[in-house]
Amino acid sequence: MKRLWLLIFFFIFPLHCLAEDEIPQVTVIDAYLDIHSGAGRGYPIVRVVKQGEWITILKRKHSWFLIETSSGTQGWVKREQLERTLTRTGEQTLIAAPGLGDFSQRDWELAIMVGKLSGARTLEFSTLYYATANLGLEANYSIGLGSFSSTQTWGLGIQHQPFPSWRVAPYVGLGGGNMRIQPKATLVQGERREDSYAHAAIGLRSYLSQRFVLRLQYKEYLLFNDDDNNEEIKEWKIGFAAFF
Amino acid sequence: MENRFCRLFLVGLLLSNIAALQAAELQELGADAEVERREIHEALIDSENFEIGISGGLLSIEDFGSNTTLVARVAYHITEDFFAEGAYGQSEAGLTSSEQRFSSAPLMTDDERQFIYYNLSLGLNILPGEAFITSGKTFNNSLYVIAGVGVTEFAGEELFTINYGVGYRLLVNDWLALRFDSRDHVFNSDVVGQKKDTHNMEMLFGMTLFF
């Protein structure tokens, strides 16, 4: 068994060496490159790298990169400065960063929103998949916490955005789902009920930065009660969404 | 059977290794000029935007005394300034002063005394800088302000809760941090009879890892 492990080690070792070769190295083209002690503009510049020197990129934290100089010094460099370097093939370094262009071509969106549903505070989690640039399929779950009752809502819907490339993009939605209403334990009367509903929504997305969007939404629920006495509920929501 | 599996495994390894060696040879010959190298491939750079950790401390539940609390948290660092954090905390409520003084019937069952909260908050790093532990040893650190919304399960009810506070993060190295948090969890409740906004203060000390 020991021999097997030894064998595995020797077989994997050269692969590991190869992986090390692929660690990105770049050379500085500006007069110098600032190295900060931490990943943030507030951390002091502790060293500089001179023009023509090679550096190795080790890891990334948001828009900052941990680099190592040829003398073994490590520190953090901002993305904008790191792009003022050349790769091994002599091309200028490019680091992909998500932007407004990605917003109009997003496939998935995850959102968390807070709001008011006829007096109760609500928290909603939703996932959206864009089948086309204009049309999205949304699944959502929300909790409503009011003075007299709490609600749980599951829903599915479709969303249409007529102008997907706009920075502030309006949308409309239609769908339906299930709402469970649970009266508070301290109240004597009232029993738990579960009703299905249909909804119509109108909203706005405003691109913030990177992969983040601000979302504002107004939704009207039509609850189908058992006693044929349909109920209309209005809801306002605001929240953040991340897209991928 | 085991033997056959072993042999297959070794053959697989051998084949993958031959391929790797060939690639290495090609690279030595300079044949990799065709390989796209214009852009630094992001996948090659390990990004550490997530922070995960646990904290422990004290939670003072209004009217119900103070008790130990345990919190698990996951944060995503959006930029150098902002981070989004989800937290789940657990504690237990003690006795109200009237329950203690008059040894009356308890207000709640043991189950209802469980205090559980989960929330999502947005944090803003402020005052980043270096802390000098000794004259030669420095650590990066920053304060942050944080606020968010969530749900508290207490006294058999689910309560909409707002939290806000101030925290301190001391980076031990690139991937390990010590954290100190003070938070106020505010919810509206009528557990002790009168409906009011209750403030539940929490002091936490914890450790987080970046990955």
Side-chain angles (χ1 to χ4, degrees), chain B residues 165-176:
Chain B
V166 184
Y168 175 74
R169 188 188 279 116
L170 184 86
L171 293 152
V172 178
N173 55 34
D174 289 329
W175 51 268
L176 182 71

Side-chain angles (χ1 to χ4, degrees), chain B residues 11-53:
Chain B
V11 166
L13 263 179
L14 191 67
L15 284 177
S16 67
N17 206 43
I18 286 169
L21 283 174
Q22 275 175 342
E25 264 167 28
L26 280 175
Q27 203 171 31
E28 266 170 25
L29 290 168
D32 63 336
E34 294 298 310
V35 179
E36 219 180 279
R37 267 214 162 126
R38 287 170 189 173
E39 211 170 283
I40 292 290
H41 292 292
E42 273 194 288
L44 288 179
I45 308 166
D46 176 28
S47 69
E48 290 189 350
N49 295 329
F50 283 96
E51 187 185 1
I52 188 169

Side-chain angles (χ1 to χ4, degrees), chain A:
Chain A
M1 196 60 195
K2 207 184 252 175
R3 216 174 296 163
L4 181 71
W5 284 119
L6 213 65
L7 216 62
I8 289 171
F9 175 75
F10 279 110
F11 272 103
I12 291 173
F13 192 65
L15 285 176
H16 176 72
C17 292
L18 196 73
E20 291 234 312
D21 274 352
E22 288 176 8
I23 289 175
Q25 281 188 323
V26 292
T27 181
V28 182
I29 47 173
D30 273 349
Y32 60 87
L33 182 88
D34 295 327
I35 301 184
H36 292 247
S37 71
R41 62 182 177 276
Y43 298 109
I45 298 163
V46 284
R47 278 209 172 77
V48 293
V49 186
K50 280 183 270 174
Q51 194 175 42
E53 228 179 289
W54 284 91
I55 53 170
T56 309
I57 305 166
L58 301 177
K59 64 181 170 191
R60 171 178 198 166
K61 229 179 227 183
H62 30 86
S63 59
W64 288 79
F65 292 80
L66 181 67
I67 59 111
E68 191 177 81
T69 63
S70 47
S71 61
T73 310
Q74 287 191 2
W76 295 86
V77 175
K78 202 170 167 55
R79 185 174 70 94
E80 285 83 346
Q81 270 211 314
L82 194 65
E83 285 192 323
R84 301 288 302 147
T85 58
L86 298 178
T87 62
R88 274 187 186 169
T89 49
E91 305 272 346
Q92 192 168 339
T93 310
L94 266 173
I95 296 155
L100 185 59
D102 299 275
F103 171 57
S104 54
Q105 287 164 17
R106 62 199 188 277
D107 291 325
W108 288 92
E109 184 181 298
L110 288 175
I112 172 158
M113 294 191 281
V114 290
K116 274 209 156 164
L117 174 88
S118 70
R121 295 237 175 76
T122 57
L123 259 179
E124 177 176 314
F125 304 91
S126 86
T127 317
L128 205 131
Y129 172 72
Y130 285 94
T132 72
N134 301 92
L135 215 61
L137 307 169
E138 187 177 29
N140 63 281
Y141 169 73
S142 85
I143 319 166
L145 303 167
S147 306
F148 308 109
S149 63
S150 63
T151 57
Q152 269 182 309
T153 313
W154 295 267
L156 281 173
I158 49 169
Q159 246 185 44
H160 181 260
Q161 47 170 7
F163 315 105
S165 56
W166 288 11
R167 194 182 180 97
V168 179
Y171 65 86
V172 287
L174 280 175
N178 221 340
M179 190 183 280
R180 182 185 289 170
I181 302 164
Q182 173 100 47
K184 283 232 158 164
T186 42
L187 295 176
V188 188
Q189 82 268 45
E191 57 189 71
R192 192 174 118 174
R193 51 179 246 245
E194 207 171 321
D195 294 320
S196 49
Y197 69 84
H199 79 250
I202 183 164
L204 272 181
R205 274 188 191 83
S206 176
Y207 176 74
L208 293 175
S209 89
Q210 296 197 16
R211 300 199 170 278
F212 296 89
V213 176
L214 183 78
R215 226 176 114 173
L216 197 70
Q217 183 177 282
Y218 171 74
K219 208 177 203 178
E220 251 186 52
Y221 293 89
L222 185 64
L223 270 180
F224 305 119
N225 288 353
D226 293 337
D227 51 4
D228 288 337
N229 192 10
N230 292 346
E231 202 179 330
E232 265 182 54
I233 310 176
K234 297 179 173 81
E235 181 194 49
W236 278 100
K237 262 178 192 154
I238 188 166
F240 287 103
F243 61 83
F244 306 96

Side-chain angles (χ1 to χ4, degrees), chain B residues 64 95-96 99 103-110 112-113:
Chain B
F64 290 90
L95 294 173
T96 57
E99 281 172 300
S103 55
S104 54
L107 264 174
M108 292 186 279
T109 64
D110 283 351
E112 288 173 339
R113 274 182 209 279

